[in-house]
């Protein structure tokens, strides 16, 4: 239900944030891409701004450390975007299992964004083709909605981690 609401919100907001085709018409994938780029950009900035020592920070027992969260996001983006592209997925927890340091995690997240750029560059026409995701059949558009929603959900976690550490999250920082 939450993802359906996100899709409706994104599609109705398309004229406000959508990228356009050569003839100037808005696209659904363009609307998603705009939202995803904004959110993933904030995550990338947060990953760079968080001190390396705080990558081991865990607000409470039972939740991921900041570093584990960045690793999870990198792996999940590969999973969702592979589904959107109709390609074989990588293991979602590949980066979490490796216990990487800050530099490697920032690089892994950037690489997952570069990979996802291809998925968000697709035309709307192919977005209703079916793909496999989490053991079920979904449309490629649903995979992109899932990725955008997932990134947004975890950016909310990142905001909390940064605030606890006395930091201002990227979305609240003054424009430069």
């Amino acid at each position: 239900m939450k993802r359906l609401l996100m899709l409706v919100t994104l599609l109705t907001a398309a004229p406000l944030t959508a990228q356009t085709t050569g003839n100037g018409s808005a696209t659904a994938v363009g609307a998603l891409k705009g939202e995803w780029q904004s959110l993933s950009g904030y995550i990338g900035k947060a990953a760079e701004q968080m001190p390396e020592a705080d990558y081991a920070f865990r607000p409470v027992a039972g939740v991921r450390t900041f570093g584990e969260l960045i690793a999870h996001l990198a792996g999940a983006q590969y999973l969702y975007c592979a589904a959107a592209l109709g390609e074989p997925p990588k293991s979602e927890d590949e980066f979490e299992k490796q216990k990487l340091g800050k530099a490697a995690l920032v690089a892994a997240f950037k690489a997952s964004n570069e990979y996802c750029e291809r998925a968000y560059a697709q035309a709307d026409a192919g977005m209703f083709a079916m793909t496999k995701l989490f053991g079920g059949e979904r449309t490629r558009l649903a995979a992109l909605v899932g990725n955008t929603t997932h990134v947004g959900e975890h950016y909310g976690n990142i905001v909390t981690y940064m605030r606890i550490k006395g930091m201002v999250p990227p979305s609240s920082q003054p424009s430069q």
Side-chain angles (χ1 to χ4, degrees), residues 12-32:
T12 58
L16 299 174
T17 61
Q19 294 186 356
T20 59
T21 61
N23 64 11
S25 62
T27 67
V29 176
L32 281 171

Side-chain angles (χ1 to χ4, degrees), residues 87-122:
E87 296 179 356
K90 291 185 176 186
S91 172
E92 181 183 6
D93 61 355
E94 174 183 339
F95 300 108
E96 280 185 89
K97 287 181 178 177
Q98 294 181 44
K99 305 290 185 200
L100 302 170
K102 176 181 175 173
L105 289 172
V106 168
F109 186 73
K110 283 182 181 180
S112 74
N113 280 344
E114 290 168 8
Y115 180 72
C116 284
E117 283 287 341
R118 285 187 30 236
Y120 285 94
Q122 297 179 94

Side-chain angles (χ1 to χ4, degrees), residues 134-157:
F134 300 118
E137 291 283 324
R138 293 181 174 58
T139 65
R140 290 180 177 201
L141 182 61
L144 290 180
V145 168
N147 188 59
T148 303
T149 302
H150 185 254
V151 166
E153 289 170 349
H154 284 303
Y155 179 63
N157 298 134

